[in-house]
Amino acid sequence: MLIPRQTAPALTVPTLDHGPFDLTTAAQQRGTVICFYRGLHCPICATYLTELEKLTPAFAERGYATIAISADGAERARAMADKIGATALRFGHDLALSAARDWGLYISTSRGKTSIGIEEPAFFSEPGLFIVNADRSIYYLSVQSMPFVRPSFRELLAAVDFAIDKNYPARGEYIGSLG
């Protein structure tokens, strides 16, 4: 189980237009918003990533880079980026499922074609959303076993503003005895 304030697992993936992404060298003022998505086959992902694309400049103004990552290959990642009209949001692809598991993501198996007629890969990760600080410590995490009811990026941006203003620490860090 990943714990806030602890060091995030290694993460290196190729991106569509920005060379390799490596969390260890992803120097940003405050950190990186990492959105793991299911893949091109997921219509909910397209809607969700459209919101992140729109808010990527606002996260950047606050010192946070953004990246959307899936286990899809480059061709399917490009199709998703094109589908949402991405110009600001980086897209990582070819996420190893072993790395997805290191990040605590749930893995699903294919059920064939989705409601939009795109074949699911044999295996793929379910969604996860993370804020990783510049020092690679985990600030925020949300991992889901289903594609539904995801955290709102607008609410996350408001939370970032609050956290910056109040110097609010990552929560959920206690791993000691409970009695």
Side-chain angles (χ1 to χ4, degrees):
M1 182 165 93
L2 297 181
I3 307 293
R5 301 187 194 175
Q6 292 185 351
T7 301
L11 181 60
T12 304
V13 293
T15 68
L16 294 178
D17 300 312
H18 301 92
F21 171 83
D22 184 343
L23 187 59
T24 61
T25 59
Q28 289 298 314
Q29 178 188 359
R30 287 205 163 87
T32 306
V33 176
I34 302 169
C35 179
F36 293 102
Y37 70 100
R38 301 173 82 225
L40 178 64
H41 64 276
C42 178
I44 297 169
C45 291
T47 301
Y48 195 56
L49 294 176
T50 298
E51 182 186 10
L52 181 55
E53 163 66 21
K54 289 177 185 170
L55 293 175
T56 286
F59 280 107
E61 288 170 8
R62 290 152 175 86
Y64 291 93
T66 58
I67 187 166
I69 300 173
S70 77
D72 278 351
E75 186 176 315
R76 284 172 65 113
R78 174 70 65 198
M80 180 63 92
D82 291 347
K83 184 177 194 169
I84 71 159
T87 58
L89 178 60
R90 289 179 295 174
F91 273 80
H93 54 86
D94 291 300
L95 174 69
L97 292 176
S98 59
R101 210 169 249 160
D102 289 345
W103 280 81
L105 302 179
Y106 293 95
I107 308 297
S108 290
T109 57
S110 178
R111 294 191 48 178
K113 288 189 177 181
T114 62
S115 62
I116 57 173
I118 297 175
E119 190 76 24
E120 291 181 345
F123 299 96
F124 57 92
S125 68
E126 291 297 336
L129 181 60
F130 295 78
I131 295 177
V132 178
N133 291 327
D135 67 0
R136 278 193 55 215
S137 64
I138 297 170
Y139 184 78
Y140 168 88
L141 65 101
S142 174
V143 175
Q144 296 178 247
S145 63
M146 297 287 284
F148 316 113
V149 193
R150 300 185 196 188
S152 160
F153 288 113
R154 286 208 183 283
E155 290 179 15
L156 186 63
L157 190 61
V160 162
D161 286 340
F162 177 86
I164 291 168
D165 183 53
K166 304 294 185 195
N167 195 28
Y168 196 80
R171 302 310 314 255
E173 78 289 355
Y174 183 75
I175 57 173
S177 173
L178 297 175

